[in-house]
């Protein structure tokens, strides 16, 4: 069953029983934490999510999200457009202690007080994790100053070992 509307919160257990597939968009302007680390370039985040029950009987939600954002290059300090994409695979848990019992290929996600998952926050967190730690252009596209040197460091010159003096004292 496919649903074109993308809910903000959803019950993963009921959705998994129906094998629900959701595709849609969230507005990028509604993701304040993501906007705190980058600028908007596109207007929306494309999301597709599938709910299912695996062979172990665990409820699983898998999906993809992508957005176009503007980041600041750390070499030349100019903005550039970056497409960030995230893939995720979660299994909801009712108590944090149950997260340790999940197989290692699933990430745990806690349910809210209504037994639902906030899908928009989940997608926002996954996109934040995909932002490079040090954003920068490709070296060919970067307008860094010409006096900057990028590449391999020169081999070190043979310097005398300062501890050689101690060998002479033996």
């Amino acid at each position: 069953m496919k649903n074109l509307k993308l809910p903000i919160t959803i019950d993963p257990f009921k959705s998994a029983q129906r094998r629900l597939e959701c595709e849609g968009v969230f507005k990028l302007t509604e993701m304040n934490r993501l906007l705190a680390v980058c600028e908007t370039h596109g207007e929306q985040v494309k999301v597709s999510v599938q709910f299912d029950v695996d062979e172990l009987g665990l409820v699983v939600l898998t999906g993809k999200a992508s957005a176009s954002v503007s980041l600041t290059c750390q070499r030349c300090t100019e903005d550039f457009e970056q497409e960030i994409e995230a893939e995720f695979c979660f299994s909801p848990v009712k108590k944090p202690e149950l997260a340790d019992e999940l197989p290692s290929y699933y990430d745990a996600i806690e349910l809210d007080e209504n037994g639902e998952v906030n899908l928009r926050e989940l997608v926002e967190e996954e996109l934040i994790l995909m932002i490079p730690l040090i954003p920068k252009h490709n070296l060919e596209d970067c307008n860094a100053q010409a006096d900057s040197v990028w590449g391999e460091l020169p081999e070190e010159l043979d310097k005398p070992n300062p501890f050689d003096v101690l060998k002479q004292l033996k």
Side-chain angles (χ1 to χ4, degrees):
M1 180 176 194
K2 205 166 202 176
N3 187 359
L4 293 178
K5 279 191 165 188
L6 206 56
I8 294 174
T9 61
I10 192 165
D11 184 333
F13 295 100
K14 290 179 183 176
S15 301
Q17 288 174 351
R18 295 181 6 215
R19 300 198 188 287
L20 185 66
E21 294 181 23
C22 299
E23 287 187 28
V25 295
F26 286 126
K27 290 182 181 177
L28 196 54
T29 55
E30 295 172 346
M31 297 186 171
N32 296 328
R33 291 180 298 145
L34 180 61
L35 293 178
V37 293
C38 63
E39 300 293 324
T40 61
H41 188 76
E43 294 180 7
Q44 53 196 12
V45 177
K46 297 175 190 170
V47 180
S48 68
V49 182
Q50 297 83 32
F51 295 87
D52 204 354
V53 178
D54 72 356
E55 63 276 353
L56 299 174
L58 295 171
V59 171
V60 179
L61 64 132
T62 57
K64 296 179 182 181
S66 64
S68 182
V69 295
S70 181
L71 301 172
T72 303
C73 177
Q74 297 302 299
R75 282 191 283 237
C76 66
T77 66
E78 291 183 13
D79 289 345
F80 68 100
E81 180 182 338
Q82 175 82 34
E83 184 75 22
I84 53 175
E85 296 179 355
E87 290 186 23
F88 48 88
C89 185
F90 288 98
S91 183
V93 293
K94 295 180 181 179
K95 297 179 184 176
E97 303 86 42
L98 299 175
D100 295 336
E101 297 174 13
L102 287 177
S104 61
Y105 44 88
Y106 293 138
D107 290 324
I109 185 164
E110 290 185 45
L111 302 172
D112 65 9
E113 62 275 355
N114 299 323
E116 296 182 333
V117 171
N118 189 320
L119 200 54
R120 185 171 58 199
E121 284 181 6
L122 180 134
V123 168
E124 182 178 22
E125 288 172 6
E126 291 301 309
L127 289 175
I128 289 172
L129 290 172
M130 292 296 112
I131 294 176
L133 187 60
I134 302 173
K136 52 191 171 188
H137 291 105
N138 291 330
L139 198 51
E140 309 84 50
D141 300 332
C142 194
N143 294 328
Q145 295 178 356
D147 62 347
S148 299
V149 178
W150 304 101
E152 295 182 27
L153 294 173
E155 290 186 28
E156 297 221 13
L157 301 174
D158 289 335
K159 294 181 184 178
N161 187 344
F163 297 104
D164 283 342
V165 176
L166 295 175
K167 286 182 185 177
Q168 295 172 0
L169 293 175
K170 270 186 156 180

